[in-house]
Amino acid sequence: MGSPNQARPTIAIIGAGIGGLALAIGLIKRNVPVTVYDAADQFSTVGAGIGLGPNALNAMDLVDNVFREKYDEVKTQNEKLEFEHSIFDALYAEEGFGEKRGWTRGLVGAPYFTRSSAHRKDLLEIMESFIPEGSVKFKKRAVSFEQVEKKVRINFADGTSETVDAVIGCDGVKGLTRRAVLGDIAPEEVQPTFMGMYIYRGIIPMARAKEILGTHAGDAKFFMAKGKAVAAYPISRGQEMNLVFFVTDSKPWTQGDHAISCTKEEMVQDLEGFDPKLLKLLDYCKPLRWPTWHHPQTSTYYNGRICLLGDVAHASSSHQAAGAGQGLEDAAVLSQLLTLVKTPDDLETAFQVYDAIRRPRAQEVVRTSFEAGLIYTWQHPDIGDDMEAIKDNANQRLHWIWQHDLKADIQKAEDDFRRLCQR
């Protein structure tokens, strides 16, 4: 270990989203000084629904048990008792939702699972309440990072800079910190990969959703068809329903990083063959095509004194509702490791341990989430449109995510860190 006379390390977090704030909450809880830098003018409430499994809730608890308590006050569960333990009900997207085939229900879940989701705005408002004033510096867009003499210099777009002992990148799927970590190690992995799918998304008042969908509103549903699907689930304490329409696209995405405009007619055309009730939901979706990206390969989550957390490390498809949970797991492990770091010399050891524990699991979530997207749009070569097989597969594929022993991970991280620091 370093000399006890050395100062406590200075740590900067880049990005004030869910991952960055979760890490900040964990560090603040443990009296570790940290500053968060974000390009926006203020905390962002833009977004839609976020699903959280049991593993994500356990991670919240391990970050700060009050965090979990506050989330419980705003979470949204399925409305009907029969769907309490279901992550979704698998149905056909065709007219009648499969009833003409004799298909009325395809429950996916587990007895120990209670569905939980929230509007991103509600979740971020909770997280903001843990952050002391002044700990987040807004209008600070990082444009480059320089590692010199075991320090990291952050250069911002406004011409200023900060020099710290470590940077934790939490700046999203296309975040700049990913290049800082992988640019020299695996440059081909820096840019995310287009998943072959774009989405339409929206939020509809629950009262209106019930007028359109009847008894299918109020609980999480996944309506499936060949090459397309729609997930619909309650948020905002049951006052709204989140909508995500998935449309596969085999062509490379060449239209930039952001959503592109389209027409309502193009949206309807994309979803040809859907039940007319589902098409009515498009009235509550902006005519924008959002490309979906993931990081199927990431050789390391750190390089020197820069470390990745959340989507910038392991962005994944939403088909297992596991992306946000992986960011929360990252935060639980890394906040505890950084608590053990007493001198800057120990930082890279902490990052090495974090990478060894978190990267294999998070990358497997990326892989299996992409696979789930293929299955739920009837593109998997072994399953196709066999809804019974799809339901059975879905009921088996999530347990390893939900039932993971994060406490054991944290204990192993602590043990490995102490062992390595004694060398």
Side-chain angles (χ1 to χ4, degrees):
M1 284 200 180
S3 166
N5 296 321
Q6 286 182 277
R8 192 75 179 263
T10 52
I11 298 171
I13 295 172
I14 306 297
I18 290 171
L21 291 183
L23 179 61
I25 291 167
L27 294 177
I28 291 164
K29 168 79 171 180
R30 294 161 176 78
N31 298 311
V32 177
V34 64
T35 303
V36 183
Y37 297 93
D38 196 270
D41 296 345
Q42 59 186 4
F43 286 113
S44 171
T45 58
V46 175
I50 293 173
L52 298 173
N55 60 302
L57 304 184
N58 291 338
M60 277 185 185
D61 218 8
L62 292 167
V63 168
D64 187 326
N65 63 311
V66 180
F67 180 15
R68 168 71 181 271
E69 292 172 8
K70 285 184 174 290
Y71 171 77
D72 284 343
E73 296 173 4
V74 303
K75 69 183 180 184
T76 303
Q77 297 176 203
N78 280 335
E79 185 176 277
K80 302 178 191 66
L81 189 61
E82 69 234 56
F83 296 109
E84 180 181 7
H85 302 296
S86 172
I87 186 170
F88 63 78
D89 179 16
L91 298 170
Y92 288 81
E94 67 190 23
E95 187 171 1
F97 307 133
E99 289 187 10
K100 296 176 182 178
R101 302 170 181 251
W103 184 271
T104 58
R105 181 164 296 178
L107 290 188
V108 175
Y112 62 83
F113 172 87
T114 300
R115 196 184 196 290
S116 171
S117 58
H119 196 300
R120 185 174 184 270
K121 173 179 66 67
D122 293 334
L123 181 57
L124 284 172
E125 284 177 355
I126 287 171
M127 300 179 82
E128 292 162 27
S129 71
F130 287 88
I131 309 297
E133 189 173 350
S135 295
V136 180
K137 298 187 182 299
F138 293 107
K139 300 181 181 179
K140 303 296 287 187
R141 180 180 297 279
V143 293
S144 65
F145 304 91
E146 302 170 63
Q147 296 201 61
V148 181
E149 296 180 355
K150 296 186 177 181
K151 296 277 188 178
V152 184
R153 177 186 171 98
I154 312 167
N155 299 308
F156 295 102
D158 62 7
T160 65
S161 65
E162 295 284 348
T163 300
V164 296
D165 290 307
V167 165
I168 316 298
C170 305
D171 44 344
V173 59
K174 298 216 170 190
L176 192 66
T177 55
R178 189 171 173 90
R179 180 171 296 281
V181 168
L182 293 164
D184 295 331
I185 298 171
E188 72 281 2
E189 296 175 3
V190 171
Q191 294 301 321
T193 300
F194 178 56
M195 282 188 277
M197 186 177 293
Y198 56 83
I199 63 175
Y200 300 118
R201 59 190 188 188
I203 295 175
I204 180 172
M206 186 60 75
R208 179 60 180 142
K210 288 182 176 180
E211 289 176 4
I212 296 171
L213 293 178
T215 58
H216 289 302
D219 306 293
K221 305 285 179 174
F222 214 130
F223 303 92
M224 304 177 187
K226 177 68 173 177
K228 47 201 169 187
V230 55
Y233 56 90
I235 57 172
S236 307
R237 303 171 188 83
Q239 297 303 303
E240 296 177 307
M241 179 165 272
N242 192 62
L243 305 170
V244 186
F245 288 84
F246 302 96
V247 180
T248 57
D249 185 356
S250 60
K251 301 184 297 295
W253 187 268
T254 59
Q255 302 170 84
D257 296 347
H258 304 292
I260 62 167
S261 297
C262 62
T263 65
K264 175 71 176 298
E265 290 71 27
E266 287 172 324
M267 297 166 74
V268 171
Q269 185 176 358
D270 272 344
L271 302 168
E272 183 181 359
F274 271 29
D275 187 291
K277 295 175 182 177
L278 296 178
L279 298 180
K280 285 183 180 179
L281 300 178
L282 290 173
D283 291 341
Y284 297 86
C285 297
K286 291 183 178 179
L288 293 172
R289 287 174 172 161
W290 296 86
T292 57
W293 310 93
H294 66 162
H295 292 303
Q297 299 293 329
T298 305
S299 295
T300 179
Y301 285 176
Y302 80 102
N303 183 351
R305 297 288 182 85
I306 304 177
C307 186
L308 306 177
L309 183 151
D311 281 352
V312 72
H314 45 71
S316 69
S317 105
S318 61
H319 291 93
Q320 295 187 134
Q326 288 308 293
L328 292 169
E329 287 187 17
D330 290 347
V333 173
L334 190 55
S335 61
Q336 188 58 33
L337 275 170
L338 291 176
T339 303
L340 304 179
V341 171
K342 303 306 178 186
T343 74
D345 289 343
D346 298 336
L347 282 163
E348 289 185 50
T349 301
F351 294 158
Q352 176 187 345
V353 171
Y354 162 80
D355 177 76
I357 288 175
R358 287 297 307 144
R359 186 160 53 87
R361 172 167 163 80
Q363 291 305 135
E364 184 64 4
V365 169
V366 175
R367 186 192 70 78
T368 56
S369 293
F370 178 72
E371 181 183 67
L374 296 178
I375 293 171
Y376 300 159
T377 52
W378 298 357
Q379 297 180 95
H380 193 281
D382 298 328
I383 299 177
D385 61 358
D386 185 339
M387 284 289 276
E388 195 68 44
I390 290 169
K391 183 193 72 172
D392 291 345
N393 179 283
N395 271 308
Q396 295 300 316
R397 68 183 305 109
L398 296 168
H399 302 296
W400 73 276
I401 299 176
W402 290 344
Q403 295 184 305
H404 186 71
D405 190 345
L406 188 59
K407 282 186 178 180
D409 280 356
I410 292 173
Q411 185 61 58
K412 177 172 171 49
E414 293 176 355
D415 294 345
D416 289 352
F417 176 81
R418 292 189 173 101
R419 175 177 52 80
L420 289 168
C421 285
Q422 288 172 357
R423 288 182 177 176

